[in-house]
Amino acid sequence: MVADPPKGNPKGLAAAESTANGVSAVVLIEAPGASGGGCCSSRDQVRRCLRANLLVLLTVVAVVAGVALGLGLAGAGGAVALGPARLAAFAFPGELLLRLLRMIILPLVVCSLIGGAASLDPSALGRLGAWALLFFLVTTLLASALGVGLALALQPGAALANIDSSDGATGTLKESPRKEVLDSFLDLVRNIFPSNLVSAAFRSYATVYEIRQFNGTGTEVKVPVGNEVEGMNILGLVVFAIVFGVALRKLGPEGELLIRFFNSFNDATMVLVSWIMWYAPVGILFLVASKIVEMENVEVLFSSLGKYILCCLLGHAIHGLLVLPLIYFLFTRKNPFRFLWGIMTPLATAFGTSSSSATLPLMMTCVEERNGVSKQISRFILPIGATVNMDGAALFQCVAAVFIAQLNQQPLDFVKIITILVTATASSVGAAGIPAGGVLTLAIILEAVSLPIHHISLILAVDWLVDRSCTILNVEGDAFGAGLLQHYVDRTDSRSSVPELIQVKNETPLAPLPIPAEEGNPLLKCYPAPGEDADICQKESVM
């Protein structure tokens, strides 16, 4: 197609320029003084920008509108005025979004990890996994230290030492026996190795306690008993998918058919995710609004626990807007806030759903399409990060532990502070990527430093807000980890002549050697070298 010069610009010239493939293209050369189309050009640029960021803008507007709608309905009577039936109908669009996202989690995690692990060399897999775990560990430790430091500096629980912890409490945690720290970590290891993969899709292992009499003497003993509880065992599925992907790669050509099956399954799942993304603004609006309407005495909660909420939100803001972007900038020398703008839709979805697992499908799409992260990196690292990287949860748990210690007027020495840091970092690994998942592991930290767990009821009263901030920080850390690993892979490929990914293995070795059948690469074909014997081959990429 040949473009005519603009009629309004008689000095516009058309020049034929030869492109790389030999096809001449018509290039318009505008005279220096020609500026008649400037207004139209800027208007077109604005229109293109709005079209490219339409989903992000709709999601942000949905969050703001949800907060405004929720506060308006709460001021008009809230849940009491609506009634249970109308409240359920009002929250239905948000519930539908959660169901759609949870439906996609299982195939997305399993297929993406199998395909990602199978597409990487074992040596590259080990290096990427080690760097990812190191990044997640360091950022979680930094978040924990920041939470403890802010709580010690702001003293959120000092002014509330005499408040009865039953205010706003649900009372469900007082009757349950205390869970031992050792049993919590043993449950973590048990969930890594599920006994049934089918049940791991909707159940996980948890230790409960029964009070039994010992040897008929009347002495009551707390006996740990294994139990399956509702909730996806995503940690066990992640470990199995990685190991299964490595096993498929070891099969060589025999495993390529199954690898292509999982890659195609994952691509189809991502198409479904792209459709769900356009419904996300509607669901987020009603999720946020319904949660605000359901809360009672919002003003009382904010006035009594405002300092605790401020401490958590301030810590999340510092870690998410300063610490993580600074780490990304120091290693990549790229603008971290441009990276953040590319994942604005998953961040807004994280605020609405309060679930890092539910945000995973949208995060994969955005980091691949907007931030230039390869599929092999994003589909291997992001599911792992959604399971083991909980920066927001670790920071919130440290603030909550110090807050409860101040409520009980118990001083924290250096040993207890270190215990809080280490326990928060360790307990955040494998924490459920579901709403209020961090509260479930907070009891482990309180047990480690001998603090009463019944004060968790105060934390639950405002967890609907703090948990959303935690989820935003969790998924942001996952995305920055994927960006850093992409930079590491790019830099390694530029320095080394041996590429790490299967898709770029197309260099001819200096001395061609026969390749055993079990180590053959299905993406390479052999052709006889010109002027040589037929059994001497040259390698040529088919990609």
Side-chain angles (χ1 to χ4, degrees):
M1 176 181 291
V2 178
D4 294 329
K7 295 180 179 179
N9 182 14
K11 295 183 180 181
L13 303 178
E17 183 178 287
S18 177
T19 58
N21 56 4
V23 180
S24 60
V26 175
V27 181
L28 295 179
I29 304 174
E30 186 178 5
S35 59
C39 181
C40 295
S41 176
S42 61
R43 191 175 303 156
D44 292 339
Q45 290 178 357
V46 171
R47 189 181 296 112
R48 285 195 298 268
C49 181
L50 290 177
R51 188 182 297 114
N53 300 282
L54 179 60
L55 185 60
V56 177
L57 296 176
L58 288 176
T59 309
V60 174
V61 170
V63 173
V64 177
V67 173
L69 180 60
L71 292 177
L73 291 177
V80 178
L82 286 177
R86 292 180 180 177
L87 183 61
F90 180 73
F92 176 73
E95 178 188 355
L96 185 60
L97 175 63
L98 282 176
R99 295 177 70 89
L100 289 173
L101 292 175
R102 288 170 179 167
M103 173 189 68
I104 252 10
I105 291 174
L106 179 62
L108 184 67
V109 169
V110 174
C111 295
S112 64
L113 278 176
I114 291 177
S119 65
L120 295 172
D121 289 331
S123 58
L125 180 65
R127 287 196 299 271
L128 289 178
W131 281 112
L133 292 179
L134 178 62
F135 171 77
F136 294 152
L137 177 63
V138 171
T139 54
T140 305
L141 278 174
L142 289 176
S144 302
L146 179 61
V148 171
L150 283 176
L152 293 177
L154 298 180
Q155 299 285 322
L160 302 175
N162 297 323
I163 288 183
D164 187 7
S165 63
S166 63
D167 293 340
T170 58
T172 57
L173 295 172
K174 295 183 179 180
E175 293 79 8
S176 59
R178 294 185 175 185
K179 190 171 185 178
E180 301 294 336
V181 178
L182 178 61
D183 290 330
S184 299
F185 286 104
L186 290 179
D187 288 347
L188 179 66
V189 178
R190 292 186 183 104
N191 283 320
I192 293 178
F193 304 101
S195 58
N196 191 326
L197 285 176
V198 177
S199 65
F202 53 88
R203 288 182 180 273
S204 58
Y205 186 93
T207 298
V208 296
Y209 298 96
E210 294 182 358
I211 305 300
R212 299 177 182 175
Q213 292 186 354
F214 183 70
N215 290 337
T217 59
T219 304
E220 293 185 347
V221 180
K222 184 173 65 173
V223 179
V225 178
N227 188 27
E228 297 285 338
V229 297
E230 290 293 331
M232 182 186 300
N233 181 12
I234 192 170
L235 186 61
L237 295 175
V238 164
V239 172
F240 170 79
I242 294 175
V243 176
F244 190 74
V246 174
L248 284 180
R249 178 175 173 80
K250 287 294 183 182
L251 290 179
E254 296 179 358
E256 288 297 325
L257 181 61
L258 198 53
I259 293 175
R260 287 197 295 269
F261 165 77
F262 282 110
N263 286 333
S264 300
F265 201 122
N266 189 68
D267 292 339
T269 305
M270 297 305 292
V271 173
L272 295 178
V273 171
S274 66
W275 295 346
I276 296 174
M277 286 177 67
W278 289 102
Y279 177 73
V282 179
I284 290 172
L285 189 151
F286 287 96
L287 272 175
V288 176
S290 62
K291 183 57 67 174
I292 294 177
V293 171
E294 289 173 3
M295 295 302 301
E296 298 180 0
N297 299 325
V298 179
E299 297 82 1
V300 177
L301 286 176
F302 273 90
S303 60
S304 60
L305 298 174
K307 209 169 184 180
Y308 163 75
I309 298 173
L310 174 64
C311 192
C312 290
L313 297 184
L314 180 62
H316 290 157
I318 293 175
H319 192 76
L321 297 178
L322 293 179
V323 177
L324 291 177
L326 182 60
I327 294 175
Y328 180 80
F329 174 75
L330 290 178
F331 283 94
T332 65
R333 300 297 178 181
K334 297 178 182 178
N335 187 354
F337 298 102
R338 182 176 297 175
F339 189 93
L340 278 177
W341 177 253
I343 59 172
M344 190 60 65
T345 299
L347 294 183
T349 306
F351 180 82
T353 61
S354 186
S355 172
S356 57
S357 298
T359 313
L360 179 61
L362 307 183
M363 181 62 74
M364 283 187 175
T365 302
C366 288
V367 296
E368 292 171 9
E369 296 180 355
R370 293 178 173 268
N371 291 335
V373 178
S374 65
K375 293 182 179 180
Q376 290 77 21
I377 299 296
S378 67
R379 300 180 186 185
F380 173 71
I381 296 301
L382 289 180
I384 298 177
T387 307
V388 303
N389 183 39
M390 297 291 173
D391 293 355
L395 191 149
F396 139 75
Q397 289 166 359
C398 289
V399 173
V402 178
F403 170 73
I404 292 175
Q406 293 170 357
L407 277 180
N408 292 273
Q409 298 181 350
Q410 293 188 13
L412 295 175
D413 54 13
F414 180 75
V415 176
K416 287 187 176 181
I417 291 176
I418 296 298
T419 303
I420 291 175
L421 291 176
V422 175
T423 310
T425 303
S427 62
S428 63
V429 176
I434 58 175
V439 175
L440 302 178
T441 57
L442 177 59
I444 302 175
I445 304 174
L446 298 181
E447 288 287 343
V449 291
S450 302
L451 290 174
I453 64 172
H454 63 270
H455 284 291
I456 295 182
S457 57
L458 279 176
I459 307 301
L460 285 172
V462 293
D463 185 67
W464 62 275
L465 175 61
V466 175
D467 191 46
R468 280 163 166 72
S469 179
C470 291
T471 308
I472 292 175
L473 190 58
N474 291 339
V475 299
E476 180 188 344
D478 300 341
F480 273 123
L484 284 172
L485 287 178
Q486 182 63 49
H487 175 74
Y488 166 75
V489 170
D490 294 340
R491 187 181 61 179
T492 305
D493 287 345
S494 63
R495 292 183 179 180
S496 174
S497 60
V498 181
E500 292 182 343
L501 303 181
I502 278 183
Q503 283 75 4
V504 295
K505 277 191 173 180
N506 53 10
E507 292 188 3
T508 303
L510 296 178
L513 296 175
I515 301 178
E518 64 275 9
E519 296 294 337
N521 193 327
L523 302 181
L524 299 178
K525 288 185 177 180
C526 286
Y527 296 98
E532 302 290 343
D533 295 335
D535 56 346
I536 301 178
C537 297
Q538 290 182 342
K539 295 181 180 179
E540 178 179 342
S541 174
V542 299
M543 294 194 63

